[in-house]
Amino acid sequence: MNSQDHRREARVVTGPEFTISFSLNGYDFREVRIMNLSAGGCFALVPGRTARFFLPGTTLDGLVLGHPDLPKQPITATVAYMLGYSASGQTEEQVGMGLQFQDVPPATSEALAAWVETVTADGGSGA
């Protein structure tokens, strides 16, 4: 599946109770807010001061979805793109990063896809 296919996936706009936690280079990031979620990835907000750690291609280990209705099996994700970050050091208070899920256990992938399908079929958001 290429990045164009990922953009066409059903996405759920999520509320403030939807977060992710992960590790990067020995640092733990907890309760990072996500703005949307699909079976193949999500869009997360990180503080601008940490943006330089999340350049495209960066791998996030042990990513766990932080909502009671979502699977808890740790997965790996790769930063696909950043919004609001400038290599010149001029960044916003928060920047956004598009994450592509990698190495997702089959049971987690199935549970996540079922959740997205249920929520989108109801016509609602994950909030």
Side-chain angles (χ1 to χ4, degrees), residues 1-126:
M1 185 179 295
N2 66 37
S3 62
Q4 187 69 19
D5 293 332
H6 280 289
R7 283 188 285 249
R8 291 185 204 159
E9 286 182 344
R11 294 195 176 281
V12 176
V13 175
T14 55
E17 69 279 11
F18 285 80
T19 62
I20 56 174
S21 296
F22 56 88
S23 296
L24 175 63
N25 298 328
Y27 293 97
D28 291 331
F29 291 83
R30 299 287 171 238
E31 297 185 15
V32 173
R33 170 86 162 84
I34 61 173
M35 302 301 292
N36 68 41
L37 178 64
S38 73
C42 64
F43 185 80
L45 296 176
V46 294
R49 69 183 185 281
T50 64
R52 67 185 180 280
F53 300 119
F54 301 105
L55 298 178
T58 300
T59 299
L60 310 179
D61 295 315
L63 186 141
V64 176
L65 300 166
H67 187 275
D69 295 340
L70 298 174
K72 299 295 177 245
Q73 180 75 28
I75 60 177
T76 302
T78 302
V79 177
Y81 62 90
M82 291 287 296
L83 295 177
Y85 175 73
S86 169
S88 69
Q90 299 290 330
T91 57
E92 301 295 324
E93 185 174 316
Q94 286 189 316
V95 297
M97 61 179 176
L99 301 177
Q100 185 175 358
F101 298 153
Q102 309 289 326
D103 302 325
V104 182
T108 297
S109 181
E110 290 169 16
L112 185 54
W115 181 85
V116 169
E117 183 177 331
T118 298
V119 172
T120 56
D122 290 344
S125 72

